[in-house]
Amino acid sequence: MDDRPGFKLDAYLVKHGQRGPLCDVRVWLPKQPADDGRMAVQAFGLPFDNELCGSGFSLINDEEPGFYFEASDILIRSSSTQFGRRVGGTTLEIDHVERLTIRRNLRGGAYHELQSIESATFHLSQVHYAIPSKVWSMDFKGNRNFGHSYSPPRLPVRDSSGESLALELDRHWNWVNHDDGDTVVARSTPVFVFHDSSNAPPASLNTLRQSARTAALLLSLAARWRVVVHGFHAYFNGVTHEEWDYPFSRVRAANGLEDSRDFLVHPSYLENFIQSASSRISSFKEAESDAVFLAIYSLHPTVKHSIESRFLALFVALEGLARQFGSANGGMHSIIPALLAAYPPGIPTLWPILGEQGLPGLKDLRNELAHGRNFSRRVPGSLSVAEDHLQLWIEYLLLSILNGRAYAHSFNWLTRHTIEQRDKMESLRIHLSEAGIRSRS
C-alpha cells in the first residue's frame, strides 16, 4: 500500500498573527470526497513542558520560492514529547483543519488575489445530476471507453456584482484496481468546471469560489441531497491554486442516494432554475441570503439527527424565512400568513402551519417539542408525517422566494405521498387534539 504523504515540508505554527515554532509537516490528502486526509506535525524548539492545545492555529510556509502552503483554523487536540528525546520535537495531534491552501508556480513569489482565472475545477460530494447509477467494471485488459458521450449541464450563476459565470456540472472518472486484481472499477467524482471565455468578464478567485458554493447550495435544494464543495483547483497566468475544505474532518454526504426522495427540480429544468435562483439571491440583503442558506442547510444536514431535533431545526428555518420575507413585526401568527401571502408556495393539502378550529398546526407541535413533551408516544406516526409536510412547506416556499416555482418537478415522490396521505393527516390531527394538543390561535 502506498502510504507516502502528498506533501512533506517545513511550516511555521501561527496564531493571532504571531509566528511560533518551526514544524515538520506531512500531509496525506483525501483521495475521494468521502475520505479523510491525515496530517502529521512535529514542532521544534519548544520548552519541554510547553503544551500547544486549542483552536485557531495555522501552519504556514511562505518562504520557499514558487510555493505557498497554509492549513488554517487548526484544532490541536494534544501535544506530547517523548521522555528523554527532546531533540525529536513535540508531536501535535490535529483533529480538524478548516481549509488547506497550496499555490505553486508563482512568478517571483508574488501572488495577486484579483488575477483572472483561466479554468477551475470544484470537486463535489455525490449528487444525482450528471452521475450515472451504474458502476462500471471490466477485465483490466479490456477497452475502458464507455462508448457514449453527453453534454454536461451549463449552470449560469449570477454573483453579487450582477455578473454571470457558467459552471459545467460534469464528472471526473478514475480507474481503480479491484480486490481480485483482475478487474478495474470506474469511479466518478462530480465536479463543477469553469472555463474562461473571451466575451466574459474576468473571474477573480473569491468570486468564482462563492459562485460555486451558491451553485452547490442550489443543487442541494433541487436534488434533495446535500451537495458540498470539497476541493478547488484553479489555474491562471501560470499559477496553480488548490484548496481543500475540511480535508481532515470531512463534511460528508453519504454514498447512497436512497434518502433523497426524488428530485425537487427535474434535470431538464436545472439550468433555468440555477440561473433564475442565483439571480434572485444576488439581489438579497445579507440577512435574507442567510435565511435562505440556513433553510437549505436545515433540509439537508451533514449529520444524522433525531426526528425531534430535525423537526425543531426545520421550524427554526421556517421562522427565519418568515421574519425576512414575511413581516418584520409581530409574532408568528402574523408574519407567517404574511410570508404565505407574499410568496405562495403553490402546493395544496399540506398540514397547516398554524392550527385552526381546535386542530393543531405544525407550530403547535413545535411548541410541544420545545417544552420537552413528546406526543409521538400518544399518537404514533404523527411526527414523521408532520416532518414530511414541514419539509415541503420550506422547499416550496424557497422555490417561490427564488422565482423557481415553475421548475418544480410535479411528480416527485414526497409531494405525491403527502397528497395521497391527506386523510391520514386529518386523522392524526384529530387524535392529537383528543390527546390535548390543540390549536393555540
Side-chain angles (χ1 to χ4, degrees):
M1 179 179 178
D2 183 9
D3 196 39
R4 291 176 298 180
F7 295 94
K8 294 178 65 176
L9 52 98
D10 294 330
Y12 287 98
L13 196 64
V14 177
K15 188 168 186 178
H16 302 314
Q18 298 297 313
R19 178 167 289 192
L22 183 67
C23 300
D24 175 64
V25 181
R26 289 178 292 162
V27 180
W28 291 261
L29 290 171
K31 292 182 172 59
Q32 295 291 325
D35 292 343
D36 273 322
R38 288 187 293 132
M39 179 182 285
V41 178
Q42 280 196 309
F44 297 93
L46 289 172
F48 180 71
D49 57 352
N50 193 315
E51 290 189 358
L52 289 173
C53 295
S55 60
F57 290 94
S58 295
L59 278 166
I60 298 177
N61 178 329
D62 56 2
E63 295 182 341
E64 182 178 338
F67 181 85
Y68 176 88
F69 170 92
E70 180 178 357
S72 57
D73 197 8
I74 294 175
L75 171 63
I76 300 176
R77 178 65 64 187
S78 65
S79 60
S80 61
T81 303
Q82 189 171 349
F83 183 74
R85 294 188 61 188
R86 293 178 60 181
V87 70
T90 300
T91 300
L92 306 182
E93 181 185 347
I94 294 175
D95 275 2
H96 172 83
V97 174
E98 180 178 280
R99 180 178 297 166
L100 192 148
T101 303
I102 295 173
R103 296 194 292 270
R104 291 180 283 196
N105 300 332
L106 301 177
R107 293 179 176 176
Y111 173 74
H112 300 287
E113 182 69 26
L114 298 179
Q115 287 179 321
S116 177
I117 296 176
E118 298 166 1
S119 64
T121 301
F122 295 86
H123 295 264
L124 309 175
S125 57
Q126 186 62 287
V127 60
H128 285 281
Y129 302 113
I131 305 299
S133 59
K134 183 176 181 180
V135 176
W136 295 72
S137 63
M138 59 196 69
D139 185 276
F140 72 98
K141 296 179 180 178
N143 183 0
R144 299 181 184 183
N145 188 358
F146 288 99
H148 69 275
S149 61
Y150 74 104
S151 297
R154 287 179 60 82
L155 309 181
V157 184
R158 192 173 296 276
D159 62 29
S160 57
S161 67
E163 300 294 343
S164 184
L165 298 173
L167 300 173
E168 291 184 352
L169 177 59
D170 207 342
R171 57 176 178 259
H172 282 181
W173 292 92
N174 66 305
W175 296 88
V176 181
N177 288 327
H178 208 45
D179 294 338
D180 57 17
D182 293 329
T183 60
V184 290
V185 176
R187 295 178 180 171
S188 67
T189 300
V191 293
F192 285 141
V193 180
F194 168 79
H195 298 290
D196 188 22
S197 60
S198 57
N199 58 351
S204 71
L205 188 68
N206 284 337
T207 297
L208 188 59
R209 186 165 48 203
Q210 185 57 51
S211 296
R213 287 176 177 151
T214 298
L217 195 73
L218 292 174
L219 274 182
S220 300
L221 176 63
R224 283 201 170 116
W225 187 258
R226 183 67 180 269
V227 183
V228 180
V229 175
H230 289 303
F232 167 39
H233 296 180
Y235 308 91
F236 48 101
N237 296 340
V239 175
T240 62
H241 178 101
E242 304 176 50
E243 291 184 10
W244 290 263
D245 285 343
Y246 310 103
F248 308 122
S249 179
R250 301 295 266 179
V251 180
R252 291 185 180 85
N255 292 326
L257 293 166
E258 62 276 5
D259 292 332
S260 62
R261 300 184 177 182
D262 208 350
F263 300 114
L264 180 63
V265 175
H266 192 271
S268 61
Y269 300 144
L270 185 60
E271 297 181 25
N272 291 335
F273 168 70
I274 296 292
Q275 182 175 27
S276 174
S278 65
S279 178
R280 174 79 171 129
I281 287 175
S282 69
S283 68
F284 285 163
K285 299 175 183 176
E286 183 177 352
E288 293 171 337
S289 297
D290 288 345
V292 168
F293 293 166
L294 290 173
I296 299 177
Y297 291 148
S298 73
L299 290 168
H300 309 292
T302 56
V303 296
K304 291 290 185 181
H305 290 279
S306 67
I307 189 171
E308 292 83 5
S309 63
R310 184 166 189 268
F311 186 91
L312 288 172
L314 287 171
F315 207 91
V316 168
L318 176 63
E319 290 178 334
L321 292 175
R323 293 194 185 281
Q324 294 302 322
F325 297 97
S327 171
N329 302 314
M332 284 297 122
H333 281 278
S334 60
I335 65 176
I336 285 180
L339 172 67
L340 300 180
Y343 299 98
I347 180 171
T349 67
L350 289 179
W351 192 314
I353 299 174
L354 303 176
E356 76 284 331
Q357 299 178 351
L359 297 182
L362 297 175
K363 184 178 183 299
D364 300 301
L365 305 188
R366 175 263 179 207
N367 291 342
E368 289 290 312
L369 291 175
H371 289 90
R373 296 187 287 269
N374 189 345
F375 51 84
S376 296
R377 298 191 192 93
R378 288 171 282 173
V379 186
S382 55
L383 187 55
S384 61
V385 173
E387 183 194 6
D388 285 344
H389 285 252
L390 182 53
Q391 175 176 334
L392 282 173
W393 273 118
I394 294 175
E395 287 180 338
Y396 280 82
L397 279 167
L398 284 170
L399 288 180
S400 186
I401 290 169
L402 297 174
N403 295 335
R405 265 181 50 187
Y407 308 118
H409 184 28
S410 58
F411 298 105
N412 70 75
W413 176 87
L414 185 57
T415 304
R416 290 199 313 268
H417 177 71
T418 55
I419 292 174
E420 293 167 357
Q421 296 293 318
R422 177 171 173 77
D423 291 342
K424 181 178 180 180
M425 176 195 74
E426 294 297 343
S427 175
L428 288 171
R429 294 180 71 203
I430 292 171
H431 290 322
L432 287 167
S433 177
E434 292 171 346
I437 305 169
R438 299 174 181 171
S439 170
R440 306 303 180 199
S441 58

